[in-house]
Structure formats: C-alpha cells, structure tokens
Amino acid sequence: MMLRHNRSNKSNRTDTGVIELENVAYSYGGGELLSDITVKLAPGSFHFLTGPSGAGKTTFLKLCYGALLPTAGHVRVFGADVRTLERDQVALMRRKVGVVHQDVQFLDHLSVADNVALPLTVSGRHDEVAGPDLGELMTWVGLTDRATGLPPELSGGERQRAALARAVIMSPDVVLADEPTGNVDWDMSQRLLQLLIELNRMGKTVLLATHDLSLIRAAKAQVQARVLRISNRRVQLAGADL
Amino acid sequence: MIIGIRSIPALLKGDRQADRVVPPSGFTAQLTLFTSAAMAFLAVFALALSLASGRLAARWGEELAQTATIRIVAPLDQRAMQTAAALRVLETTPGVAEARALTDAEQQALLAPWFGQDLPLDTLPVPRLIEITSETEGFAPIGLRLRLTAEVPGAILDDHGRWRAPLLAAAQRLRLLGWGAAVLILAAVAAMVTLAANAALAANAQVIRVLRLVGATDSYIAQAFVRRFTWRAFAGSVAGVVIGLLAVWLMPTGGDGPGFLTGIGFEGAGWLVPLLLPFISGAIALVATAYAAGRALRTIS
Ligand SMILES: Nc1ncnc2c1ncn2[C@@H]1O[C@H](COP(=O)(O)OP(=O)(O)OP(=O)(O)O)[C@@H](O)[C@H]1O
Ligand SMILES: [Mg+2]
C-alpha cells in the first residue's frame, strides 16, 4: 500500500530539515505569541510539541503548513520559503504534508470513505480511490464499518482516525497532527499513537502537538522522539525530565 | 483570473468528481435558473423593440432624406409660368438630384380617391406638385425656401422632414433605449450571478477550507462553482429565449399598415440575434463566478 513508499529520505538531504523555522515570530495583531523560534525537523524524525493551552501549539503547526505566514523570520517547507510560494504551490506542498486539525472538518455531504480519499480526488488521482489502498487504509484506522456513513455520524475518536487516514492517504512526507488524541479515551489515544509511530517507522516525519504528557511518556518507550516545549513564547527542546 | 482561457473546454466538459465535492444546492440553483430565464425573456423583447425601431428609423430616414415636394399655389394663368420658374431654381440648387413636375394624369390619380376620376384639373386652381429627389447629402431647405419666396411667390416647399424628423428621432431613441435595456438586463444577470455565487461560496466556506487543507488548487475549487453557475445561467437563458421568441412570433402582425406596435418583432436574420443571449449569459456567469470565487478564495489560506 502507499504507506510503504518512502520518498522522504530520498528527496531530502539529511542536513536540511523537511520543515525549518528560522528566527520565526508570530503575532495575531497584539503582542508576539511566538518569538525567535529556530527549529528544524529532520526527515524521518518524530517530534512532540507541547505546552499549556493557549501557548501557541496550533499556531506553530499552522506556520508549518503555510496556513499562517510568520510575522518575522523564515519558514521553509521542503527547502522553499512559504512566503514566496504562490497559492498553487501551497496547494502542491499540502499534498506532501498531511495535516490532522485540532477541530477536524470534513465534507459532510460525502461518505467517510470519500472524505478519506478526498486528497486523491482533488489532485486528479481519483482512479486510485477504487484501488485496494483505500480499503487497506480504512482497515488500518479501524473504520471499515463506517466507510459508507456520513462524517456527522462519527464519534469524536472516529473523526480523528478518519482525519488521520485522510492525512496519510497521499503518502505525505510529513504528518502534522494537532491534538489527535484530544477527545478520545486512553486506549484509543494509544491506538492513534501506534498509527503515528507506524508511519514514522515507514520514514514519515511526524510532528504531534499534545498537552498529554503521559502520551509522550508512552511514546518514548517505542520511538526516538524529541519533545519541543513552548514556554514564554519560545520553543525549547525539553530534556528527558518529563 | 483563476480560470484561464485554456481551461474553458475542460470546464464545459465537466468533471463529475470535482462537482461532487461541492454540496448540491437545490433552492438557490432554481432561483438562478428562474432569474436568468426571466432576464432572457425580457431581453428578447428589448431586442425585438430595438431591431424594429431600427428598421423603422432606417426606412423613415431614407424617405426623408430623399424626397420633398413643392406646391405651386397660383391663379390658373400663372401656374405654368411659376412651375417653370420653380424648376429653374431647383436646377441650380445644390443637393437636388432631380426635380419633376407631376403631370395632370398623375395629379388626377392622386386626387381621384377624394374627388373621383372626372375632375377637370385644367379649369380648377389645383396646386401643381413638383417632386424633388435629393442627392444623398440632401439640400438646405431654408436656403431653398428663401430663394423660392424671392422668385416664385406661389411656391410652398413641403419638406417632409418637418413632420418626420421628430418621429425619426423618436425611433432612433427607441432603438437606443432597446439596446440600453438589453445591456442593463445582461448587467443584471452579472449582478444576480455574482450575488448567488457569493452566497454559495459563503455557505460553503467550510468545504473550501477542507479542500484547501487537503491540497486542492484554487482553480479546482473555483471550477466546481463556475461550472454550476455557467450552466444554470445558460440553461435558464435558453428557456427564457425560447418562450420570448414564441411570444414575439405569436404577436399579431398588422398587415401592411404602417403601425409601429404591429411591427415589433424580428425579420430575417434578426431572429438569430436572441439566440446569442444564452451564450452571452453563460459567458457573463462564467466571468462573474470566477471573479467572485477568486475573491472568496483569497481570504482562505
Ligand atoms: N485567529 C486568531 N486571532 C487572534 N488570536 C488568536 C487566533 N488564533 C489563536 N489566537 C490566540 O493565540 C493563542 C494561541 O492559540 P493556539 O490555538 O495556537 O494555542 P494552543 O497552544 O494550540 O492551545 P490549545 O492547547 O488550547 O489548543 C491563544 O491565546 C489564542 O487565543
Ligand atoms: Mg491548539
């Protein structure tokens, strides 16, 4: 299935990050929310992003996929400064960056399976939807039974799994997940974490925003993960002391 | 603009998948269809009006430019002399192509409807008529009138322009108004489609955000909207034009009378002009929707 392909390590030299932030600052209009942030996500790495509610985790992720432009500094995705990207180039970039939003949204008039396949549809690869990949992916996230249902019928955890499936169906090089375990119980959050760890083992770069420290501890046993912590408007690499 | 010229054939052909990503919109779709049908219906009448008044203006203008009459009102013994004098004046008047006194037989024919065939013209002081055919530029009626008063006291220049000119001006104005109305109607189609497209884009803001998030380009998203509105404006317009043409066709014609109202309608190739309306409406809808989509999409990263 498409998740087996591993393009990230081939297409990126190891010394450049898949996503790089250089002296980035961001402000919604008031004072600076994030200041002087320099972070590099190496290909194939696994990062957690943590910090108290309102610290700017979602903002940080939005900077990473060009939904927001930094008010100072540079954000480079696959080596290209997001500020210089045309809108169509942003669209192409997003096909290589799978995003799970904190408030996952779907096209409510299409079935769950169609929603998961949406990235293929909009990039002109709709014929692949009928292939075995979609079914395999739906099994992988445990949504085979819900495939023909509509998104509003899904539970919170099912929505987040569907969003994760949608984020990875294009076999992106990077997966950015914003609180993907936000409204699920411990078992389900473990399952979602397993999915992300599995993706990382296939070579995807993963950045997972969460304020759930026990989730981070659970992950550390299985994957070499780095923890970025936002505090006082800066991003610091947290030590082993969680 | 996000819809390039080259993408128009693909746009018209349609992409079933791209259409599906935007939810169907039953009621507003029907409103758009209905409004463009009504607009096309009105536009057919505006066109019929302006084409008819154009024909009328052309005919009147032609007659007006080309003929005038001089009446020689004089005692019987001076009539022939004054007629000859008037003809001499006309010979030297610039812009007059031909001047000819009507013969007794011709005048008899003109008067026959009122006085019967046996009118003794040579004994009655009936005015003699001189028919003037002018060159294309025409002559200056005021100058001619002055010369005639000086040399032919009994001559009265009957310049048809005196009474036809305002009619001609009215016909020309009517034609202009007809075209103006047609242009206004098409502008209203543009405004209506823009409003409907804006409403559809606003109602689908979440859909657009999701599509952008998963990597859809602006033109992909816009096409789904543009195709719908182009098609609705076109289809509605076809219906409106068909009904409008039928109504014009069924309008009673006034036989050979000169009535203006009975002349409203299309003649010959004129029937083809309204057939352009659906294509124009479709093109207007395409541009208006593409423009509205371009503006809406710019607000969503
Ligand atoms: N569009 C916006 N306009 C103005 N302020 C905003 C906007 N979005 C977020 N903020 C503010 O920026 C701050 C950081 O928001 P952000 O969503 O990045 O936090 P977060 O770390 O993701 O929080 P949480 O853990 O609750 O999801 C918050 O104080 C929020 O109110
Ligand atoms: Mg957040």
Side-chain angles (χ1 to χ4, degrees), chain A residues 28 33 52-59 102 179 211:
Chain A
Y28 279 109
L33 177 64
S53 177
K57 299 183 291 296
T58 300
T59 308
Q102 191 167 10
E179 306 273 9
H211 52 236

Side-chain angles (χ1 to χ4, degrees), chain A residues 65-68 87-88 90-92 94-95 97 99 101 105-110 114 118-119 121-122 126 166, chain B residues 17-18 20-24 206-220 297-301:
Chain A
Y65 64 92
L68 295 175
R87 286 181 63 85
D88 280 358
V90 169
L92 295 183
R94 293 204 181 140
R95 295 176 190 178
V97 178
V99 178
H101 258 212
Q105 292 188 327
F106 298 99
L107 302 189
D108 289 340
H109 64 291
L110 294 184
D114 281 342
L118 194 61
T121 307
V122 303
H126 189 76
R166 183 178 70 185
Chain B
Q17 290 313 323
R20 250 164 43 92
V21 300
V22 178
Q206 180 187 328
V207 169
I208 296 175
R209 270 198 303 275
V210 169
L211 289 172
R212 277 300 290 181
L213 182 71
V214 300
T217 57
D218 282 354
S219 55
Y220 181 90
L297 281 164
R298 265 198 301 279
T299 64
I300 292 169
S301 74

Side-chain angles (χ1 to χ4, degrees), chain A residues 217-228:
Chain A
R217 279 192 214 99
K220 282 212 151 183
Q222 305 174 61
V223 67
Q224 208 187 16
R226 291 165 169 248
V227 179
L228 302 169

Side-chain angles (χ1 to χ4, degrees), chain B residues 86-96 144 147 151:
Chain B
L87 285 173
R88 269 196 310 280
V89 169
L90 289 169
E91 260 165 42
T92 55
T93 305
V96 172
L144 180 60
R147 284 185 64 197
E151 298 177 28

Side-chain angles (χ1 to χ4, degrees), chain A residues 26-30 33-34 49-62 68 102 178-179 209-211 230:
Chain A
Y26 190 81
S27 134
Y28 279 109
L33 177 64
L34 300 169
L49 178 66
T50 186
S53 177
K57 299 183 291 296
T58 300
T59 308
F60 182 97
L61 289 184
K62 285 185 173 169
L68 295 175
Q102 191 167 10
D178 195 357
E179 306 273 9
T210 181
H211 52 236
I230 304 180

